[in-house]
Amino acid sequence: MGDSRVPFSDIYLATEPYVKSVGQVRIGASGIGWKAAEGEAEALQGVNIPGLSMPAGMLALQREDLRRLQWQRVARGYGLRIYTKSGTLHKLDGFTADDYEQLRDAVKRFFSGLTLEVRDISFKGWNWGKTDFEGSDMSFRVENRPMFDLPMAYVSNTNLANKNEVSVEFQPPRMAGKGTKRKNAPDELVEVRFYVPGTIATGATIPAAKDDEDMSVDGEKSDNDDEVSAASAFHEAIKNAADLGQVSGDSIVQFPEILCLTPRGRYGIDMFSNFLRLRGKTYDYKIPYDNVQRLFLVSKPDELHMMFIVGLNPPIRQGQTRYPYLVLQFVRDEEVAVDLNLEADEDAKRKTEAAKLRRHYDEPLYRIVATVFKAMTDKKLIEGGGFGGYHGSQGIKASLKANEGTLYPLDKGFLFAPKPAHYIPHSEIASIVFSRVDASSSNKMRTFDLKFNMHGALDYQFVSINREEHASLEEYMTKHGIKMLSELNETTSVSYKGMDADDDDESDEDVTPATLLGAGGGGAAALNASVGAMGLNSDEDESEDEDFVAGSESDVPEEYDENYESPDDAEE
């Protein structure tokens, strides 16, 4: 029986990107099989490929499941593309040109009704053509020959950039191997834009291709007079094709019309076993749970709303704007009844059982959302720590640049929300500088600033913090062992940070050269250092101005000197 099989050695399994596992292919009457070589199966750990059994590293494709076989030129020589009836596309690379005839004869011998098609790739380099959907991939064709393929399984978002332009954003492929760092991954394509002019009839809107159907966006017009732009039809086709094989099952739970502060708008959230869908009026996102890095649940200072913050890496994008955090807002007292579908699929069943989720919840909406996110992402939910502000709130009002928000001192870091959301771990903070905190009788400013000096990163400065919060912040930083500095200790150069446009009464108390000179030798030294830093000449570089005549008439004293006496005043 073994002699009837046709073997091929040194063949790579290329179904999943970044998989570099070589093995042997055997073709027989029962189907096509691939087995990893000795020591190569480790590279397949954590890879989810239908039909792949671990830890042996064997891929078995039964004869009755095969739908289409294609031979094409690839980077590793030649490759075999195997389409299954379930819609999965498998790729085997590493064949030589001499293997074609042997492979063609084996297909003809063992698989009646199937032929080995030759997929001729276009090398013209044109940037215009047609698009066809083949299974879960989209193929861009030039003169009816494929130029490149885009895997719809990795599409994270698509939107109409304008009337005739469709942008397609990609989710970076998951790295093979447990604990593999993405920082060592090669450069990747993250976005493609298609210009699609013209209109098509409403009835010609293109759905996603399935099974044997290869559909093009260039549909023919019907008798229906209603038309839509071809870009809109292409946009819908991308959305449908991106869901093939992944959103075919039922969702675990759906949260409709959730208010999102960042990015702004109301979004529906559909939770699946391995990813969530964020659906808005303009943008739709597919976010794998592996991209979720942190979860926060904090209360707004008004004590009426709660913010649930989801940290993402890589961030989602809207055009050129990147959003590394989702900031969802809930009314604290809004209670709802929610039923969970705990048996949506095997992965969902396993996760929900491990997290001990209940089938029915009847409690505040923010608590249900936080509980489900925590269970599905397997991340710790960080809530407001032991910090209590002057009024007992979890956070203190502050401003980061021109954005007003709330600074939350947590157990292991600082969180600023809602926009732009930032998380600053204690481990990355070198020191914190308090500015404008002098509470003397001559300085009655109502606010102060905090500057975060970071280890090897950009510093952060939070301004307009209520003076009443100073004591609680100082106590918090002492408790967590964070180094504190005052503005005077940090630098002796002339500084105008003390100016506060909201405090007119204190404008005369700002640091000036006169006050520095009045401070003794230290003030004079500081003034000299500041003058040097400004590039002004010292006494050694001074020279007489030959054009200057003492006592000459000038308009300057009359305009700026309040004690100036004009000749007319002297005569009176």
Side-chain angles (χ1 to χ4, degrees):
M1 186 68 178
D3 296 337
S4 63
R5 298 177 182 176
V6 179
F8 298 91
S9 301
D10 298 330
I11 304 300
Y12 289 86
L13 180 63
T15 302
E16 186 81 8
Y18 301 121
V19 173
K20 296 181 180 180
S21 183
V22 68
Q24 186 182 55
V25 171
R26 290 185 179 181
I27 300 179
S30 60
I32 301 176
W34 177 90
K35 183 178 181 180
E38 185 177 356
E40 294 288 328
E42 296 180 359
L44 301 173
Q45 296 293 333
V47 175
N48 184 20
I49 297 178
L52 181 66
S53 59
M54 298 297 295
M58 295 182 61
L59 175 65
L61 304 176
Q62 300 300 320
R63 162 67 185 89
E64 15 331 313
D65 293 336
L66 302 180
R67 181 173 64 89
R68 194 175 182 184
L69 301 174
Q70 289 182 337
W71 172 272
Q72 74 168 41
R73 191 75 169 85
V74 294
R76 295 190 183 107
Y78 290 85
L80 177 63
R81 295 163 59 93
I82 306 171
Y83 295 88
T84 66
K85 294 180 180 179
S86 62
T88 305
L89 171 62
H90 292 282
K91 300 177 183 179
L92 300 173
D93 292 353
F95 293 93
T96 64
D98 297 335
D99 293 332
Y100 170 71
E101 292 184 1
Q102 188 179 6
L103 185 61
R104 180 195 60 190
D105 294 341
V107 171
K108 183 178 181 180
R109 174 183 173 189
F110 296 115
F111 309 142
S112 61
L114 290 178
T115 58
L116 183 61
E117 306 173 16
V118 177
R119 194 168 187 253
D120 194 11
I121 304 297
S122 173
F123 298 100
K124 285 186 176 294
W126 294 359
N127 65 339
W128 66 91
K130 298 181 180 180
T131 55
D132 292 337
F133 292 96
E134 300 177 348
S136 59
D137 286 1
M138 185 189 75
S139 176
F140 186 83
R141 295 177 174 272
V142 174
E143 293 186 341
N144 205 30
R145 296 166 60 188
M147 176 177 285
F148 61 84
D149 299 319
L150 297 179
M152 294 293 99
Y154 296 115
V155 173
S156 61
N157 181 38
T158 176
N159 61 82
L160 287 168
N162 54 51
K163 182 179 179 181
N164 298 115
E165 191 171 303
V166 179
S167 68
V168 182
E169 299 174 13
F170 296 96
Q171 173 65 41
R174 182 170 50 189
M175 294 293 289
K178 186 176 181 180
T180 305
K181 299 294 185 181
R182 285 206 52 81
K183 64 181 181 181
N184 297 323
D187 293 339
E188 300 163 356
L189 180 69
V190 296
E191 182 179 4
V192 175
R193 293 202 174 197
F194 295 93
Y195 176 75
V196 190
T199 60
I200 65 173
T202 304
T205 301
I206 307 303
K210 297 181 180 179
D211 298 335
D212 295 324
E213 299 176 0
D214 293 337
M215 299 189 179
S216 169
V217 297
D218 298 323
E220 296 182 359
K221 290 187 179 182
S222 65
D223 295 334
N224 192 341
D225 293 335
D226 295 333
E227 293 183 346
V228 297
S229 68
S232 298
F234 181 62
H235 171 61
E236 292 298 325
I238 292 289
K239 290 173 61 176
N240 294 336
D243 291 341
L244 284 178
Q246 297 202 31
V247 194
S248 55
D250 295 332
S251 62
I252 297 172
V253 65
Q254 296 181 354
F255 301 108
E257 295 296 315
I258 300 297
L259 177 60
C260 191
L261 302 182
T262 306
R264 191 73 180 178
R266 288 192 174 271
Y267 290 85
I269 302 177
D270 303 337
M271 307 288 290
F272 295 88
S273 57
N274 296 314
F275 64 93
L276 67 92
R277 298 288 299 189
L278 200 64
R279 302 184 183 274
K281 293 182 178 180
T282 305
Y283 295 93
D284 290 347
Y285 300 94
K286 181 170 64 176
I287 305 175
Y289 294 137
D290 292 341
N291 292 5
V292 177
Q293 304 297 311
R294 293 186 176 93
L295 301 175
F296 302 94
L297 182 63
V298 293
S299 173
K300 296 191 73 172
D302 59 9
E303 299 296 332
L304 299 176
H305 298 88
M306 299 292 295
M307 285 192 298
F308 180 61
I309 303 170
V310 182
L312 301 174
N313 186 25
I316 61 175
R317 301 169 62 241
Q318 289 186 3
Q320 299 300 320
T321 306
R322 304 166 69 91
Y323 293 97
Y325 291 90
L326 298 178
V327 183
L328 310 179
Q329 179 172 294
F330 301 89
V331 178
R332 178 189 288 269
D333 297 333
E334 181 184 1
E335 294 191 3
V336 296
V338 174
D339 293 319
L340 304 186
N341 179 16
L342 302 185
E343 298 181 355
D345 54 44
E346 290 299 325
D347 289 341
K349 186 176 181 180
R350 184 180 66 255
K351 288 185 177 182
T352 54
E353 287 179 351
K356 299 181 180 179
L357 290 178
R358 304 194 306 266
R359 292 183 178 276
H360 180 78
Y361 285 88
D362 190 358
E363 55 188 58
L365 178 58
Y366 73 86
R367 180 59 62 182
I368 300 175
V369 172
T371 301
V372 175
F373 265 82
K374 178 183 177 182
M376 302 310 298
T377 61
D378 195 24
K379 297 293 182 181
K380 179 182 177 182
L381 179 63
I382 303 174
E383 302 192 46
F387 176 81
Y390 180 79
H391 299 287
S393 60
Q394 294 181 351
I396 56 178
K397 291 184 177 181
S399 295
L400 179 60
K401 296 183 179 179
N403 300 290
E404 295 183 356
T406 306
L407 183 64
Y408 294 92
L410 305 176
D411 291 338
K412 295 184 179 180
F414 291 85
L415 173 68
F416 181 80
K419 183 180 180 181
H422 280 287
Y423 178 66
I424 308 174
H426 289 164
S427 59
E428 297 180 5
I429 300 174
S431 62
I432 293 182
V433 181
F434 287 81
S435 303
R436 305 190 297 114
V437 293
D438 185 10
S440 62
S441 58
S442 62
N443 191 345
K444 300 178 182 179
M445 287 182 281
R446 297 185 296 273
T447 62
F448 67 95
D449 304 338
L450 282 181
K451 180 182 178 182
F452 288 62
N453 294 326
M454 310 299 293
H455 290 296
L458 295 177
D459 297 339
Y460 297 92
Q461 184 158 358
F462 299 94
V463 301
S464 301
I465 302 174
N466 196 321
R467 176 172 298 281
E468 296 172 339
E469 307 290 355
H470 177 264
S472 55
L473 276 174
E474 195 172 42
E475 180 183 354
Y476 167 85
M477 295 176 190
T478 302
K479 177 181 176 182
H480 291 84
I482 301 175
K483 184 178 180 181
M484 293 179 289
L485 299 173
S486 65
E487 187 177 24
L488 294 179
N489 291 335
E490 183 194 29
T491 177
T492 57
S493 62
V494 177
S495 173
Y496 295 96
K497 289 182 180 179
M499 291 185 178
D500 190 344
D502 297 332
D503 301 314
D504 297 332
D505 297 339
E506 292 79 39
S507 59
D508 295 335
E509 300 298 331
D510 294 334
V511 180
T512 62
T515 57
L516 285 174
L517 289 173
L527 178 60
N528 290 334
S530 300
V531 170
M534 296 176 185
L536 301 179
N537 295 328
S538 61
D539 294 339
E540 298 176 358
D541 299 326
E542 288 181 356
S543 60
E544 288 187 350
D545 187 353
E546 298 177 356
D547 296 331
F548 174 74
V549 178
S552 62
E553 293 184 0
S554 172
D555 294 337
V556 175
E558 184 176 1
E559 183 175 355
Y560 294 103
D561 189 354
E562 60 182 4
N563 297 321
Y564 172 75
E565 294 183 359
S566 66
D568 296 337
D569 295 335
E571 293 177 0
E572 292 177 358

